[in-house]
């Protein structure tokens, strides 16, 4: 078959980046919002966002007005 298997982590990472892309220009997006919108476990998403931040794919800010972008 022509199907390629990807891990849940990779699937969630792509979904998180897509969620950020559709919200682009609206400021930082809280991880909780991404998790809720995409059905991703919040703690799992935190690790994924950390990986994406270290890779330079997303930027993040801490605090009341923080989030990923």
């Amino acid at each position: 078959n022509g199907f390629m298997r990807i891990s849940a982590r990779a699937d969630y990472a792509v979904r998180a980046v897509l969620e950020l892309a559709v919200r682009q220009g609206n400021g930082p997006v809280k991880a909780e919002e991404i998790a809720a919108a995409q059905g991703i476990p919040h703690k799992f998403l935190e690790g994924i966002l950390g990986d994406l931040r270290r890779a330079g794919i997303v930027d993040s800010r801490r605090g009341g007005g923080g989030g990923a972008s």
Side-chain angles (χ1 to χ4, degrees):
N1 68 37
F3 294 103
M4 183 174 96
R5 290 203 174 270
I6 62 168
S7 68
R9 187 172 184 86
D11 176 60
Y12 289 157
V14 169
R15 288 167 46 191
V17 170
L18 286 173
E19 188 67 28
L20 287 169
V22 298
R23 296 174 181 233
Q24 187 174 6
N26 296 328
V29 181
K30 294 186 183 310
E32 294 88 2
E33 294 175 27
I34 298 169
Q38 291 294 324
I40 302 170
H42 181 258
K43 285 294 182 188
F44 199 45
L45 179 62
E46 289 286 345
I48 291 168
L49 290 173
D51 291 344
L52 293 172
R53 182 182 47 77
R54 284 186 290 279
I57 296 170
V58 300
D59 186 27
S60 65
R61 294 187 202 115
R62 293 190 176 272
S69 59

